[in-house]
Amino acid sequence: MDVAVRAGVSAMTVSRVLNAPDRVRAETRARVMAAVRELDYRPNQAARQLVTGRSGVLGVVSIDTTLYGPASTLYYIEQAARRAGFNVSIASLPSLSRRSMEEGIQRLRAQAVDGVIIVAPHESAADGLRHLPPEMPVVAVDAGDDIPVPVAKVDQQAGARRVTRHLLSLGHETVWHVAGPADWLDANGRIEGWRGVLEAAGREVPEVLRGDWSARSGYRLGRRLGDNPDVTAVFVANDQMALGVLRALREAGRRVPEDVSVAGFDDIPESAYFWPPLTTVRQDFGEVGRHAFHLLLDFMAGHEPEPRRLVEPELVVRESTGARPS
């Protein structure tokens, strides 16, 4: 009531601004939020929970990692939730085994969260996702297709197909691939997309070279590629490994893109400033986070959520790819 009097609006309008800000005009919203700051108003979460039966807190389970993809997804989930008036509690796990996930979800249930989003990019997460508490609304991000919960993710195969076709269109006979770790669903989806394009085009499918997402592993594998004169095009499963490949090729005296074309995946902020600037596949992690959040809202509201929401990636062509050397 104090905020309403200060802002010159009704108490109901204050409630809408705090709980569903997108439904209030920007001018009114700004006036109410100014009054909130002036009065140092904070909603009483305990009272809200008694009235609504909800805590206003969402849980997120994620593997403990600083890798660009999972960390970006986590950030955008949190942003989408906070814009809608939810607080977020995060359970960072050392692994995504069934036992570890059960412990993480139990920690969140003890906080009376309204629902949980699980960022599950590992093959090993599938078992845990099949044994979730039935009464808990749960949505997964980056999970496989054979699990019983709604999933939001980037179409990894589509991204790999686009970049592989791009390299073939430049006249390269085939495309080598530096892949991510075997337990990562994203890495395996990119392999499937890359291999499918080569097989459909009747091209040789080179041996998959497995890295660990780090620039160091890209450098190690890039040295092998640099010693092979038949290599003219390389698709690397993330931009950090591509950075290592670029250095290894340079040390081997192989020019990029004159001798070897190199493309990455992720479009990290630094990729435009590699030398040469890196052709890569952009993943819209913000869209994935928003999709995951809205799927969970539908679930919590008692609606039947869509089983899958795929986000299409975008090929970003820069100077690291060019025509096959004659």
Side-chain angles (χ1 to χ4, degrees):
M1 289 299 299
D2 291 341
V3 171
V5 170
R6 178 67 64 93
V9 298
S10 68
M12 183 62 71
T13 298
V14 174
S15 179
R16 288 198 192 97
V17 169
L18 296 175
N19 295 294
D22 293 341
R23 296 169 53 194
V24 182
R25 287 185 306 158
E27 179 185 349
T28 303
R29 190 165 63 239
R31 200 160 71 243
V32 169
M33 291 311 298
V36 166
R37 288 189 293 272
E38 290 170 14
L39 297 172
D40 195 25
Y41 171 74
R42 293 179 178 83
N44 186 315
Q45 295 297 337
R48 175 182 287 180
Q49 186 171 358
L50 285 173
V51 172
T52 65
R54 296 190 180 278
S55 66
V57 179
L58 301 182
V60 179
V61 174
S62 178
I63 190 168
D64 187 11
T65 180
T66 58
L67 286 170
Y68 180 71
S72 297
T73 301
L74 187 60
Y75 170 80
Y76 285 111
I77 290 170
E78 187 171 10
Q79 290 299 303
R82 292 196 185 283
R83 278 197 296 271
F86 286 88
N87 291 316
V88 176
S89 181
I90 299 171
S92 294
L93 307 179
S95 73
L96 290 174
S97 65
R98 176 178 173 182
R99 180 174 179 180
S100 182
M101 288 175 62
E102 286 175 347
E103 290 173 354
I105 289 175
Q106 286 304 321
R107 293 206 318 258
L108 294 172
R109 292 180 77 185
Q111 300 173 46
V113 297
D114 296 326
V116 175
I117 296 174
I118 302 176
V119 183
H122 288 185
E123 298 272 6
S124 57
D127 188 40
L129 290 169
R130 294 190 189 99
H131 296 86
L132 296 168
E135 71 281 4
M136 173 66 71
V138 174
V139 168
V141 171
D142 291 339
D145 294 326
D146 58 344
I147 59 169
V149 300
V151 176
K153 61 182 178 178
V154 172
D155 190 337
Q156 303 296 331
Q157 291 190 39
R161 287 194 294 266
R162 286 176 185 169
V163 70
T164 306
R165 287 174 184 145
H166 165 67
L167 291 165
L168 292 182
S169 75
L170 295 171
H172 298 280
E173 288 297 322
T174 191
V175 178
W176 289 72
H177 185 44
V178 176
D183 188 43
W184 283 73
L185 292 160
D186 289 355
N188 294 329
R190 291 167 202 174
I191 290 173
E192 290 177 27
W194 159 78
R195 179 180 286 124
V197 169
L198 293 182
E199 290 176 345
R203 307 299 178 91
E204 176 191 356
V205 180
E207 171 194 4
V208 173
L209 304 178
R210 288 275 188 184
D212 62 10
W213 299 129
S214 71
R216 177 180 295 178
S217 70
Y219 175 75
R220 173 176 52 83
L221 296 169
R223 294 183 66 179
R224 287 177 57 184
L225 294 167
D227 289 339
N228 184 345
D230 295 331
V231 174
T232 66
V234 184
F235 161 39
V236 189
N238 79 333
D239 293 348
Q240 288 290 344
M241 291 195 298
L243 177 62
V245 170
L246 288 172
R247 175 172 173 174
L249 291 174
R250 188 175 301 115
E251 290 181 358
R254 307 290 298 278
R255 298 168 301 164
V256 177
E258 292 85 354
D259 300 322
V260 182
S261 289
V262 177
F265 208 104
D266 279 344
D267 194 28
I268 63 175
E270 299 83 3
S271 63
Y273 302 96
F274 289 2
W275 188 255
L278 186 68
T279 292
T280 186
V281 176
R282 178 178 297 150
Q283 303 192 78
D284 191 340
F285 297 110
E287 192 69 7
V288 173
R290 287 188 289 273
H291 278 322
F293 172 68
H294 289 293
L295 282 171
L296 186 59
L297 283 188
D298 287 346
F299 208 156
M300 288 160 47
H303 306 310
E304 186 69 31
E306 301 170 46
R308 299 288 177 273
R309 283 197 187 175
L310 284 179
V311 175
E312 287 294 316
E314 175 189 358
L315 177 65
V316 180
V317 178
R318 299 192 180 105
E319 289 103 274
S320 66
T321 52
R324 178 194 176 203
S326 54

